[in-house]
Structure formats: C-alpha cells, structure tokens
C-alpha cells in the first residue's frame, strides 16, 4: 500500500479461441497461486454474449470449487491477487469489469502505475486501484473504439505493469515500457494464451511462444494471429530481478532459463563468495531449495531436509503486526531436530525482507542443538521498497534497509555468520543482461516520486 492505494502484485492469465476458455484460465490461475492468494477471478465471454465476471476472496479452489467456472466462453481473462495489508476487500478482487459507452471491458493487472498514470477527470474514488483508474479513464475516452481508448490511456501509463484485457470480441495484452512485470504468450490448439509465467502456460497445455515485449500492445482476435504495436518509445529493458530470486515458480522460464537453473547458479555464486566449512546445508522451503542445492553442490556439502513447510497455509509475509507475523512463521515452518542437533548448519534463504523468518529460524536452530548456524542469502540485502508491484512495504520496515553493516545484522539475528550474494554475483547468475534491481540497488528505472496521484510516505 502506498497513499492508501492498493498495489497489484499478482498473476494474470488469458485465453482466446478455445471453447473452454474459462476452465483453462482457472487451470492457469492455480499454477500461479504462488503469486497471489487473496482473491481470484475469471471474466469470460461467449461469442455474442455479455461479459460475465466470477470472482471471490480466497484461493482459486475456494473461489472455483473443483476448478469449475460456472459458464462457457471462448475468451477469458483471470487474475489472482496478492494479499496486501489492510486491503482485503472484494472490491479489489480482479478482473475488474466496466461497462463503457464503447462496450464492456474486463481488465486484469499485475503491477503498479507510477508517475503520470492515467487519471480520469472523475476518478472512481481515493482508494481506487490503478486498475480502476485505467478503466475509468477508458470509460471517459473520446476514442472511436475500445481498442483505441485502451491504447491511448495505456500509452500514458508509467511504472511496472502487465495487463490482459477482454473486450466484446478480442483480448488485449500490454507490458510496461521497460518490461518490469512479466507476461508471456503461448499457443493453444485453435487459440492463444497469455500468462504471467510459463508455468501457467504449461498447466493449460499451451506451448510457450515468447515474452510480450516491453512496451508491446497486443491484440488477439478470434481465429487471427496476434497483432502488435509498440505503445512507447524503445527504452532499456529492466525485467524485475526479484522474479527470478523469489517470486516466480522454479519450473517457469525467465529469459530462456528455468528459474530453478537460475537459482542454482545464484547458490553457486553465493558459495564462491561466502563459503563455509559446515556439516549440512538446509533450505528454507520452498523458494530457496534450488539456491541451497547450488550452494551445497559447489562446496560438496550434504543438502538435507531440515525444515518442513506446512503447505496448507497462505504466505505469512504481509501480516502487519510483528507478533502475529512471528506466530505465522512458527505455524508455517517446523524444524526437524535430528537434522540439526550437534551440527554446523548452513541455512540458505533467498531473501531477508523484514527479518521475521531468519530471526525465528535461527532461534529454532539453536533450540534444536545446532553447534553453528551460518545464514546465507542467495540475493543482496533487500534495502529499498518496490514501487512496481512487489509489495515489500516502505523502506523503513526493511531489515537490511536500516542496518547497512552485515556483521551487525548477523549479531542481531544471533547467527554465527551471515553472507549475502553480491549484486554482481546475482547478475552473473542471471547470465548478465539488464534488470530492475531497485530493491537491492535503490536505482529505480522509472521515477517514483509521485505514484498515480498519491505521494509516497
Ligand atoms: P521476512 O521474513 O520478512 O524477512 O521475509 C523473508 C522471507 O519471506 C523469505 O523466506 C522469503 O522467501 C520470503 N519472501 C521474500 N519476499 C517475499 C514477498 N514479496 N512475499 C512473500 N514472501 C516473501
């Protein structure tokens, strides 16, 4: 949240030209459940019929029991929303549907608009999401068609965003000028699919074709090949590096490699930068398993299962109250004492954000009788808030943001030692290329002074 405005850190799926588009979208959403657990929704349209919207609070399977979307159609767009503190509200569940004078349009959005975002003359209210602002601006547009209206509204948008929209007879996709938030195109028998990650395309049985290019605006009409135009002048691409570090699923492809392979390489780089003589390497499940494998393999150390994650809970991350956050980490992660007792342990995690997980787990390691506890983080210190859609709160609440010296961090966490992967090491693991590294480097590729009319605290 910033200025009371919900940020949309989420997953997006869309399908065109398939008789069971709503069901397929639900399959894709389940595969993207890790990107958002607060709400789920599907908007769909049968040829010649109205756009229908089904959405609700909770996991995809709670909103669509049996993964059944009650309705048929050949076009559909869907969304899972990430929980952001204080905004658990059905009104923020997506897709959003607007009935404009140009026709109905449903919009699913992953990301966050900053700067000169499109603000309608009569905005839909002070707490309206970016997505609602875009739809309100489309509704006010004097453009001759929905497509032209969307184009002209989105051409003014800045920030990190990936959106899929559904109109009366087509789908649209758009990605921000720097490609901060992800969006990929896949081919289905007889149709096309869009998703935030390739794991959702796989789940829908679609073949991955390519990423939507930064700044690309794509139109997909029934039966026709997608057409594209560039909405923005070409700028240096800056895909979010945190997608590879934490957010994406290990089987998804990022820049041609699986996220698993990238994380293994991050673990290998981390081992080269911060080796340690130890008895066992443990991963903090699930997101750091690949990095822990890479770390252990590089140092020829055994990797064992020492932590159990309760799979039936949502993510504890955004609990605003620190005490409740701690209780939720305890609920989520359990230590296997026999994997730890009497041993020199390396604990590998992908990130320390507020420090809750690390602090808690290190305490549990000591309780279980560890002789040493070395914490290794397969990314640089997370010091700066994300303004492009990963809701990591404000800078002052970030653990490493307040404490620039890693040895002070280690003392505070009661770890025997602490080693973070350097930014250079992370970029090397990614195979080079340009990325948005703002959360680690503080270098924001898009200015963030003013966010969609709200000033940052
Ligand atoms: P914290 O406990 O606040 O230090 O958060 C770090 C832990 O949460 C690590 O185990 C990460 O794998 C995980 N994590 C990092 N970023 C996020 C995020 N944006 N949402 C949810 N979990 C996260």
């Amino acid at each position: 949240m910033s200025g009371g405005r919900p940020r949309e850190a989420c997953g997006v799926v869309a399908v065109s030209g398939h008789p069971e588009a709503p069901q397929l979208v639900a399959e894709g959403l389940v595969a993207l459940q890790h990107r958002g657990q607060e709400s789920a929704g599907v908007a769909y349209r049968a040829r010649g019929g109205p756009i229908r919207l089904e959405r609700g609070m909770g996991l995809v399977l709670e909103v669509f029991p049996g993964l059944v979307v009650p309705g048929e159609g050949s076009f559909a767009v869907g969304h899972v929303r990430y929980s952001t503190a204080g905004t658990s509200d059905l009104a923020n569940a997506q897709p959003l549907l607007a009935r404009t004078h140009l026709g109905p349009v449903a919009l699913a959005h992953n990301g966050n608009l900053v700067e000169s975002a499109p603000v309608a003359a009569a905005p839909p209210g002070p707490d309206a999401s970016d997505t609602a602002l875009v739809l309100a601006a489309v509704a006010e547009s004097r453009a001759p068609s929905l497509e032209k209206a969307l184009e002209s509204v989105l051409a003014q948008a800045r920030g990190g965003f990936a959106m899929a929209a559904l109109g009366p007879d087509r789908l649209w996709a758009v990605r921000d000028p720097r490609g901060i938030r992800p969006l990929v195109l896949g081919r289905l028998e007889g149709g096309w699919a869009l998703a935030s990650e390739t794991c959702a395309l796989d789940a829908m049985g679609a073949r991955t074709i390519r990423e939507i290019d930064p700044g690309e605006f794509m139109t997909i009409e029934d039966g026709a090949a997608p057409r594209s135009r560039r909405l923005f002048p070409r700028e240096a691409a800056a895909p979010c590096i945190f997608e590879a570090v934490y957010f994406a699923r290990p089987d998804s492809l990022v820049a041609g490699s699986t996220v698993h392979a990238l994380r293994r390489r991050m673990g290998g780089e981390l081992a080269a930068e911060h080796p340690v003589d130890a008895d066992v390497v443990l991963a903090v499940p699930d997101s750091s398993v690949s990095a822990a494998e890479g770390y252990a393999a590089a140092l020829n150390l055994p990797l064992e299962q020492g932590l159990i994650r309760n799979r039936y809970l949502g993510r504890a991350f955004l609990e605003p109250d620190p005490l409740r956050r701690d209780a939720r980490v305890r609920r989520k992660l359990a230590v296997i004492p026999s994997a730890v007792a009497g041993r020199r342990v390396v604990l590998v995690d992908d990130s320390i954000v507020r420090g809750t997980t690390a602090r808690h787990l290190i305490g549990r390691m000591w309780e279980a009788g560890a002789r040493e506890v070395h914490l290794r983080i397969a990314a640089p210190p997370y010091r700066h808030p994300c303004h492009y859609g990963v809701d990591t709160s404000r800078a002052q609440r970030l653990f490493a943001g307040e404490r620039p010296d890693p040895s002070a961090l280690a003392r505070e966490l009661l770890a025997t030692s602490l080693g973070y992967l350097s930014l250079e090491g992370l970029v090397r693991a990614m195979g080079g290329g340009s990325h948005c590294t703002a959360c680690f480097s503080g270098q924001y590729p898009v200015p963030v002074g003013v966010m969609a009319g709200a000033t940052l605290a």
Side-chain angles (χ1 to χ4, degrees), residues 31-318:
L32 295 184
Q33 189 79 81
H34 59 286
R35 300 183 70 87
Q37 301 93 43
E38 183 184 274
S39 64
V42 177
Y44 59 92
R45 181 172 193 281
R47 201 191 294 266
I51 294 181
R52 297 193 186 283
L53 175 62
E54 303 284 343
R55 56 181 190 161
M57 303 304 291
L59 302 175
V60 179
L61 268 165
E62 291 166 346
V63 178
F64 301 108
L67 227 52
V68 175
V69 181
E72 288 181 357
S74 56
F75 286 93
V77 58
H79 189 269
V80 283
R81 184 162 190 271
Y82 191 72
S83 64
T84 50
T87 60
S88 288
D89 182 347
L90 186 60
N92 290 320
Q94 292 197 34
L96 294 186
L97 175 60
R99 297 183 201 285
T100 76
H101 65 289
L102 297 166
V105 56
L107 185 60
H109 171 207
N110 167 209
N112 199 44
L113 303 184
V114 301
E115 238 197 350
S116 50
V119 177
D127 289 341
S129 65
D130 294 343
T131 320
L133 288 180
V134 168
L135 285 180
V138 167
E140 292 206 346
S141 168
R142 294 175 196 278
S145 67
L146 257 183
E147 184 158 318
K148 291 272 173 259
L150 263 177
E151 269 183 21
S152 70
V153 167
L154 292 173
Q156 299 168 54
R158 295 291 178 273
F161 53 89
M163 299 183 192
L166 170 64
D169 61 355
R170 64 194 67 184
L171 284 180
W172 297 283
V174 66
R175 199 166 171 210
D176 65 79
R178 290 184 176 266
I180 296 175
R181 299 262 62 88
L183 196 59
V184 286
L185 174 70
R187 187 76 168 114
L188 280 165
E189 207 172 318
W192 299 87
L194 296 158
S196 300
E197 291 182 40
T198 62
C199 67
L201 297 181
D202 296 341
M204 293 188 284
R207 181 165 51 88
T208 298
I209 301 291
R210 65 173 176 88
E211 290 187 15
I212 303 299
D213 282 335
E216 180 174 357
F217 180 91
M218 180 181 273
T219 304
I220 306 179
E221 284 176 82
D222 211 359
R227 4 182 210 101
S228 283
R229 58 166 295 214
R230 170 165 287 283
L231 268 197
F232 309 92
R234 200 173 280 279
E235 292 185 61
C240 166
I241 207 162
F242 201 63
E243 286 278 342
V245 167
Y246 167 79
F247 224 60
R249 224 170 74 164
D251 54 325
S252 285
L253 291 172
V254 166
S257 299
T258 62
V259 168
H260 167 69
L262 295 173
R263 288 185 187 159
R264 268 194 80 108
R265 294 215 290 266
M266 291 170 204
E269 294 285 344
L270 180 62
E273 291 182 7
H274 299 285
V276 62
D277 193 13
D279 301 312
V280 68
V281 177
L282 307 181
V284 179
D286 294 322
S287 50
S288 52
V289 172
S290 308
E293 279 177 26
Y295 187 91
L299 296 176
N300 214 3
L301 294 173
L303 173 74
E304 280 184 29
Q305 173 161 258
L307 291 165
I308 301 295
R309 182 184 136 93
N310 187 328
R311 290 176 192 283
Y312 307 98
L313 304 169
R315 283 182 167 172
F317 186 67
L318 287 157

Side-chain angles (χ1 to χ4, degrees), residues 82 242 246-247 284 287 315 317 329 349-358 390-392:
Y82 191 72
F242 201 63
Y246 167 79
F247 224 60
V284 179
S287 50
R315 283 182 167 172
F317 186 67
V329 177
D349 203 352
D350 50 80
S351 49
I352 299 178
V353 180
R354 283 159 161 159
T356 317
T357 307
V390 177
D391 199 335
T392 39

Side-chain angles (χ1 to χ4, degrees), residues 298-377:
L299 296 176
N300 214 3
L301 294 173
L303 173 74
E304 280 184 29
Q305 173 161 258
L307 291 165
I308 301 295
R309 182 184 136 93
N310 187 328
R311 290 176 192 283
Y312 307 98
L313 304 169
R315 283 182 167 172
F317 186 67
L318 287 157
E319 177 61 63
D321 169 355
L323 280 178
R324 282 176 53 194
R325 248 193 338 255
D326 200 59
R328 290 183 71 170
V329 177
R330 179 176 290 273
R331 211 178 289 149
K332 176 171 136 183
L333 291 167
V335 174
I336 302 177
S338 61
V340 172
R343 299 171 101 181
R344 295 168 301 164
V345 174
V346 185
L347 192 61
V348 178
D349 203 352
D350 50 80
S351 49
I352 299 178
V353 180
R354 283 159 161 159
T356 317
T357 307
R359 201 189 310 266
H360 178 82
L361 287 180
I362 290 168
R364 304 291 302 279
M365 298 279 130
W366 293 125
E367 277 166 34
R371 264 207 295 145
E372 296 173 3
V373 183
H374 302 274
L375 183 61
R376 294 293 178 269
I377 304 297

Side-chain angles (χ1 to χ4, degrees), residues 400-416:
E402 299 155 21
R403 306 163 179 85
D405 169 15
S407 55
L409 293 181
R411 275 197 303 282
E412 186 168 339
L413 292 171
L414 303 177
T416 313

